[in-house]
Amino acid sequence: MKTRFKPKFNIKKGDMVVVITGDDKDRTKPRKVLEVLVDKARVMVEGVNIITKHTKPTAQNTKGGIVKQEAPIAISNVMLWDAKAGKPTRVNRQRENGKLVRIAKKSGEVIK
């Protein structure tokens, strides 16, 4: 994604999200965001989009072999989880005491 300005996303590392499209779609199971790749507009979500990677033996990994790991998915395929409502929600941003806070649209609760 080549843009002049850095895009702003409502999802941060450590948030609970649900996958709304794709092979791992489950709108009732919240999962944790491991990493947000802002420049590519992708997120790494725990237990989603598992790939197998073939690794050679190295000093750290003496065995090598096949390793299963998460791969990034498009940030548009996930939605923030609202714990109070127990459903996925959209996000609203508001200023409180000079700081920008995220507010869940479903319950009106501040997202930490």
Side-chain angles (χ1 to χ4, degrees):
M1 201 165 77
K2 293 192 177 173
T3 55
R4 211 171 126 196
F5 302 103
K6 187 174 155 185
K8 288 186 173 76
F9 296 117
N10 294 320
I11 296 169
K12 296 179 182 177
K13 181 180 172 179
D15 281 346
M16 296 304 282
V17 295
V18 289
V19 180
I20 56 173
T21 55
D23 294 338
D24 297 302
K25 174 175 145 180
D26 189 358
R27 292 181 69 107
T28 59
K29 187 178 179 188
R31 301 165 191 254
K32 190 176 182 183
V33 174
L34 301 174
E35 189 180 352
V36 178
L37 307 168
V38 179
D39 54 329
K40 294 182 180 173
R42 295 176 87 76
V43 288
M44 302 261 287
V45 182
E46 196 172 46
V48 174
N49 198 19
I50 302 291
I51 59 166
T52 54
K53 188 174 182 180
H54 298 261
T55 58
K56 282 188 172 182
T58 60
Q60 289 87 18
N61 184 13
T62 54
K63 279 195 151 219
I66 299 170
V67 178
K68 291 191 181 287
Q69 65 184 39
E70 288 100 355
I73 60 172
I75 202 161
S76 62
N77 294 349
V78 296
M79 207 169 180
L80 212 57
W81 179 255
D82 189 356
K84 187 176 179 187
K87 295 178 180 177
T89 183
R90 288 177 303 201
V91 178
N92 187 18
R93 289 195 199 137
Q94 288 182 352
R95 283 206 180 272
E96 283 184 12
N97 304 331
K99 273 198 148 185
L100 206 60
V101 293
R102 299 177 298 161
I103 297 172
K105 285 200 173 188
K106 277 253 179 4
S107 65
E109 200 72 11
V110 174
I111 300 165
K112 291 179 173 54

